[in-house]
Amino acid sequence: MTEVREGSGADVASVSEALVSAFHDDPVMLHIFDKEKGREKKLRGLFVNEAKRSLTKGTLITTSDGPALGGAIWMAPDKWRSGGFELVGQLPLMFTMGLSTPRALGVLGRMEKVHPKQPHWYLAVLGTAAAHQGKGVGS
């Protein structure tokens, strides 16, 4: 069984790489990033951004040894939504995402409409690198 631990800033790159691999063929990500060219870079930018946010707004969970086999990005109650000055800090991500930004914002907008209102921990992302899927890493 794979051991997990709370991640730190030193884990952001490794967890992000595992998540890029995990979501390379995810239907929602294929919709948002509809062009093959640049998709990996855009996914990486998205996951790095979310992993960094989780360090101050929630928690980052990863595997214990070596490069991350997967990761979970959790946001604490009432911390999942981006707003105000935080959005200004996300401008570099929007530039990285380029023409995919409107599609991404549309998906997020639809998700926000059905997001529970009561305080809760929000599992924003959970994924296992493709090479390790089906081996219990995500469980």
Side-chain angles (χ1 to χ4, degrees), residues 79-139:
K79 301 286 185 181
W80 60 272
R81 184 177 292 170
S82 295
F85 289 115
E86 186 178 8
L87 286 175
V88 173
Q90 292 183 1
L91 284 175
L93 171 63
M94 291 181 200
F95 285 119
T96 297
M97 292 175 54
L99 297 175
S100 301
T101 299
R103 255 189 315 282
L105 293 174
V107 168
L108 289 173
R110 288 191 293 278
M111 288 173 57
E112 275 192 31
K113 287 181 182 176
V114 297
H115 200 101
K117 303 289 186 243
Q118 66 272 21
H120 63 283
W121 277 87
Y122 175 55
L123 179 58
V125 182
L126 172 65
T128 301
H132 301 283
Q133 291 175 0
K135 300 176 183 175
V137 174
S139 62

Side-chain angles (χ1 to χ4, degrees), residues 3 8 19 24 30 38 45 48 57 61 67 85 91 121 133 135:
E3 296 290 320
S8 69
L19 294 174
H24 77 281
L30 291 174
V48 164
K57 296 186 134 214
I61 303 296
F85 289 115
L91 284 175
W121 277 87
Q133 291 175 0
K135 300 176 183 175

